[in-house]
Amino acid sequence: MKTGRKKWNLLLAGTMLAGALAGCSSAGKEAENKPGAAADNVNKEGFPVVNEPLTLTMMGPDVGIQNWDKMPLFQEMEKQTGIHMTFQNAPKDAFETKKNLVFVSGTYPDIFYAAGLTPAEQMNYGEQGILLPLEELIEGYAPNVKKILDDNPEIRKSITAPDGHIYALPVIEFNQPWYRNPLWYNGEFLKALGVTKLPETTEELYAYLKRVKTEDPNKNGQPDEIPLSSASPGNSLRDIRTWLLGAFGIYEEEIYVDDSDKVHYTPIEAGYKDYLTYLNRLWKDDLLDHESFSQTSEQREAKARNNQLGLFSAWTAFQMMGEEPNTDDPMFSPVKSDSVAKPAIAKNKGINTGAFAISKTNPSPEASMRWVDYAYSVEGATMFNKGPEGILWKYTDKASFTKEYLPVPDGGDREEYRSRITPNYGIPAPTINLPEIDKGLLGDVDAWIANETKTKLLDRGARIPFPVLFLTPEEQAEVTAMTSDLNTYVRQMEAKFVTGAEPLTNWDGYVATIKKMGGERMAEIYQTAYDRWKGN
């Protein structure tokens, strides 16, 4: 039985932060690193990475239940590579603050790990010389990364800054196509209502939600069913917007590119108005949870576990509903409206930039690149994802990467135990996610979810709405100046239009305001950036 997701809201006290910043200095490290701790100490292939022991400093976020100093992953990496890591971490919730202070402090860790460096940060600190260019290191010391970039030129384009340099390595995700958590139908409700064919249009979806509201599918004699529920107070209806916007032919991101390579600013598109009109109809008919704009994920989860929700967003339905893994609750199949021939289905971008960077004070960039390159191999990615072999898993056929799980050492939850043996838990750790990593470990439910994803999303034309790309410093400055106010206004108006606080007859005024705030200019900037990316 799942107990629901845990959150660790840790605060970083000022004194702790000051101490951590002081620890970022490389002073004294020279005594530990022998004079030859540079390229001539580094083996270009095989293990160990270095001939003489090397100590490097690493800064990364942790989720509050880890001890990186004693983590089996880092211990095994030190054994194999000869590189000892010392850590200057901050809790995940405070990491952005620490990262910003470190960059202005003048004293840097050797490695930024899972740092979530934005394209703007990469450009800024790369051009200042704080972050080293990585492309030559990749060529000489990272055969796994090099092969990935050679085989996937769109990834190389997406991590290359306009000045031609690569300042950070990404998380590469080839094994998870979801753009955002899917929507799931309550299978018990489907069965109670005799539904054997999922809705394919917005009208069929409306009719189904209406039945959930009026026909008591949870059979408790109370009118307590909630047909559709959302929970994302900070970003309005983000968890369901992805899938319902697609019914009107557009994508959830503020910026998307169509099949003709034209860039659009979503909040002023006609399809966005149609989406708002549809949700307003659901709201007025009490088919969309009226607490959607205010409730937390935990409050929505409580409704799911009370068997009240008909359709909701989650990693898996059974986790949300507090059940053992099962295949009873089908994944939402994207519906279409009368205005389009097919729904727009968003696919994961596949990369998360800014995961690994090397600072200018690093005594051995070559060794650092060789160290992280292992995480981009099948064997290394498996270890970074699941911990060293022999703790939670073992190979049954290493040649084919087939594995089996071992009993959890403390008899507890496997995922919680995994969080203590590898840093790749809840943070954007630099690595690649491949199908081989889970080979032999997936059960029947996992296979069913993969098939649901394939048939309902991938086989129906899911694509990336907009690629990962860099803006020039000038473009970034202009976008940054407009983004906050635009996003705030758009989300406020979304809530007002959906709830009826603002009538949709005022749409033209809303669009005029967006244009004055720079909505059209945003599309122009990203069109230029997209054309540059595509032609690179």
Side-chain angles (χ1 to χ4, degrees):
M1 182 77 68
K2 295 285 182 182
T3 57
R5 63 182 73 121
K6 299 177 176 66
K7 289 189 177 181
W8 297 268
N9 296 314
L10 303 179
L11 297 177
L12 186 66
T15 54
M16 291 174 63
L17 183 55
L21 288 175
C24 287
S25 173
S26 296
K29 190 167 59 185
E30 291 78 6
E32 298 180 44
N33 297 330
K34 297 188 176 183
D40 57 355
N41 185 40
V42 179
N43 298 310
K44 284 202 168 187
E45 58 184 26
F47 288 131
V49 167
V50 291
N51 297 313
E52 297 294 333
L54 173 69
T55 296
L56 298 173
T57 56
M58 175 183 288
M59 187 179 87
D62 63 60
V63 297
I65 57 177
Q66 305 164 309
N67 183 348
W68 289 26
D69 287 324
K70 301 184 184 302
M71 189 172 281
L73 181 283
F74 289 115
Q75 292 175 338
E76 181 63 23
M77 284 296 289
E78 181 174 351
K79 186 188 306 180
Q80 293 190 37
T81 65
I83 300 171
H84 175 73
M85 295 290 180
T86 61
F87 304 103
Q88 300 163 356
N89 293 345
K92 182 179 177 180
D93 291 346
F95 184 76
E96 286 299 309
T97 299
K98 176 178 178 179
K99 181 177 68 174
N100 292 336
L101 290 173
V102 162
F103 275 122
V104 300
S105 72
T107 53
Y108 317 109
D110 299 323
I111 292 169
F112 291 91
Y113 185 89
L117 296 162
T118 65
E121 289 172 334
Q122 293 172 54
M123 282 287 293
N124 183 23
Y125 301 121
E127 290 185 341
Q128 291 182 46
I130 297 172
L131 301 179
L132 296 184
L134 304 181
E135 57 273 7
E136 291 185 9
L137 291 170
I138 292 170
E139 286 293 316
Y141 296 91
N144 295 309
V145 173
K146 182 179 184 304
K147 185 177 188 312
I148 292 168
L149 299 185
D150 288 346
D151 291 346
N152 301 275
E154 72 280 1
I155 295 179
R156 185 185 292 273
K157 287 196 298 186
S158 289
I159 65 172
T160 301
D163 63 6
H165 291 307
I166 296 172
Y167 293 112
L169 298 182
V171 184
I172 302 175
E173 177 58 82
F174 286 161
N175 204 32
Q176 178 49 269
W178 298 348
Y179 185 81
R180 189 160 287 119
N181 287 351
L183 296 177
W184 302 90
Y185 284 100
N186 184 325
E188 182 179 318
F189 285 15
L190 293 172
K191 185 176 180 180
L193 297 173
V195 176
T196 58
K197 178 174 169 290
L198 297 181
E200 296 180 351
T201 68
T202 50
E203 286 306 307
E204 290 176 2
L205 178 61
Y206 175 89
Y208 170 72
L209 296 176
K210 189 75 170 179
R211 292 190 65 194
V212 170
K213 182 67 180 176
T214 60
E215 297 184 26
D216 191 27
N218 66 11
K219 304 299 182 185
N220 67 355
Q222 303 293 323
D224 60 349
E225 288 84 357
I226 301 170
L228 174 65
S229 186
S230 174
S232 48
N235 199 358
S236 300
L237 304 173
R238 183 177 186 180
D239 56 346
I240 64 172
R241 188 189 310 123
T242 298
W243 307 106
L244 295 185
L245 256 178
F248 304 96
I250 58 177
Y251 294 89
E252 190 269 337
E253 286 196 1
E254 271 69 25
I255 293 290
Y256 77 93
V257 61
D258 64 22
D259 293 336
S260 300
D261 290 332
K262 180 181 179 181
V263 174
H264 300 260
Y265 184 66
T266 297
I268 57 175
E269 294 289 302
Y272 186 73
K273 180 183 180 183
D274 292 340
Y275 154 81
L276 294 174
T277 302
Y278 184 72
L279 262 67
N280 174 251
R281 179 185 176 195
L282 298 183
W283 183 275
K284 288 191 298 185
D285 292 348
D286 206 19
L287 305 183
L288 173 61
D289 191 347
H290 282 201
E291 295 182 339
S292 289
F293 291 101
S294 59
Q295 68 184 345
T296 64
S297 296
E298 289 78 9
Q299 289 170 321
R300 185 187 52 152
E301 184 175 296
K303 295 174 180 177
R305 296 192 174 206
N306 199 36
N307 201 25
Q308 293 178 264
L309 302 187
L311 183 63
F312 53 88
S313 169
W315 181 256
T316 64
F318 57 81
Q319 286 178 310
M320 174 71 82
M321 300 175 77
E323 302 169 347
E324 294 298 323
N326 63 74
T327 61
D328 297 338
D329 309 299
M331 184 184 293
F332 177 75
S333 183
V335 298
K336 74 173 210 64
S337 64
D338 291 339
S339 60
V340 297
K342 63 179 181 178
I345 305 174
K347 180 182 176 182
N348 191 330
K349 294 186 178 185
I351 60 173
N352 190 347
T353 62
F356 180 92
I358 298 173
S359 78
K360 67 178 183 179
T361 55
N362 187 308
S364 185
E366 300 85 359
S368 303
M369 181 57 70
R370 281 234 43 220
W371 185 92
V372 77
D373 184 61
Y374 185 59
Y376 291 89
S377 67
V378 176
E379 299 92 336
T382 299
M383 188 170 80
F384 272 78
N385 184 276
K386 302 197 177 294
E389 183 182 7
I391 300 177
L392 287 179
W393 63 279
K394 69 175 183 179
Y395 283 112
T396 56
D397 181 4
K398 191 168 185 177
S400 66
F401 306 110
T402 306
K403 312 163 198 69
E404 68 179 9
Y405 278 125
L406 299 172
V408 180
D410 64 2
D413 181 80
R414 181 180 289 115
E415 272 299 285
E416 290 186 8
Y417 196 90
R418 185 178 74 85
S419 73
R420 303 199 295 271
I421 65 175
T422 173
N424 191 2
Y425 181 87
I427 62 174
T431 187
I432 184 170
N433 196 350
L434 296 164
E436 292 90 339
I437 293 173
D438 288 315
K439 190 172 182 180
L441 302 178
L442 298 179
D444 292 341
V445 174
D446 298 302
W448 174 78
I449 291 173
N451 186 64
E452 289 281 276
T453 301
K454 179 179 182 299
T455 58
K456 293 179 176 176
L457 306 181
L458 301 181
D459 289 351
R460 298 182 63 198
R463 71 166 177 84
I464 297 168
F466 196 77
V468 176
L469 49 72
F470 278 84
L471 301 178
T472 66
E474 296 75 19
E475 290 168 343
Q476 186 63 60
E478 192 172 355
V479 165
T480 300
M482 294 186 290
T483 295
S484 179
D485 288 344
L486 270 171
N487 287 352
T488 298
Y489 179 70
V490 167
R491 294 298 160 246
Q492 287 176 345
M493 293 303 294
E494 179 185 40
K496 289 181 178 180
F497 281 134
V498 169
T499 62
E502 184 83 15
L504 279 155
T505 52
N506 291 346
W507 171 259
D508 290 344
Y510 157 82
V511 171
T513 300
I514 290 284
K515 290 179 178 180
K516 288 179 183 177
M517 297 175 72
E520 288 182 316
R521 177 58 184 153
M522 290 278 278
E524 291 173 0
I525 293 171
Y526 278 102
Q527 183 74 64
T528 300
Y530 176 78
D531 292 342
R532 183 173 62 239
W533 175 89
K534 190 173 177 66
N536 186 354

